[in-house]
Amino acid sequence: MPPTCDEYDFFVSYARADNIGGWVEQFVEALLDEHRSFTGGRELRPFFDRADIKNFTHWETEIFHKGLTRSRLFLAFL
C-alpha cells in the first residue's frame, strides 16, 4: 500500500545541535497545546524524531519514507 500524506499532520525538521535546552521540543509542545485548546481537544500528529535516528543510520528510510511522504506540512527550524 502506498503511503498517504495524512498519517502525520506535520513533519518537524531540525538539527539536534540546534535544540540546545530543548527549545524546539518546547515549541512543538506549545504548538500542540495551543491547537488542542483552539480545537476543543483535537490532537495533531507530528512526525518528530527525538532520538531514533542516530548518526545517519537509516536516515533515508526514516525521514523520507516514514516521515516526509506521510506528512501534510513541513515545519523547518533553521
Side-chain angles (χ1 to χ4, degrees):
M1 173 183 243
T4 62
C5 69
D6 61 356
E7 185 171 340
Y8 301 105
D9 292 305
F10 63 97
F11 178 95
V12 179
S13 176
Y14 72 105
R16 282 197 177 76
D18 294 335
N19 190 26
I20 297 170
W23 76 270
V24 173
E25 291 180 70
Q26 292 170 9
F27 182 93
V28 171
E29 288 303 319
L31 177 65
L32 295 173
D33 289 343
E34 185 70 22
H35 182 270
R36 205 175 297 115
S37 71
F38 181 75
T39 61
R42 182 182 175 276
E43 296 288 332
L44 285 175
R45 298 160 300 169
F47 180 92
F48 185 26
D49 176 70
R50 293 181 176 113
D52 293 337
I53 303 170
K54 295 181 181 175
N55 300 326
F56 297 108
T57 305
H58 307 295
W59 69 270
E60 185 175 358
T61 300
E62 293 296 317
I63 291 176
F64 184 73
H65 297 294
K66 290 185 179 178
L68 283 173
T69 59
R70 297 176 182 198
S71 299
R72 291 179 183 198
L73 298 171
F74 182 82
L75 177 61
F77 291 91
L78 304 174

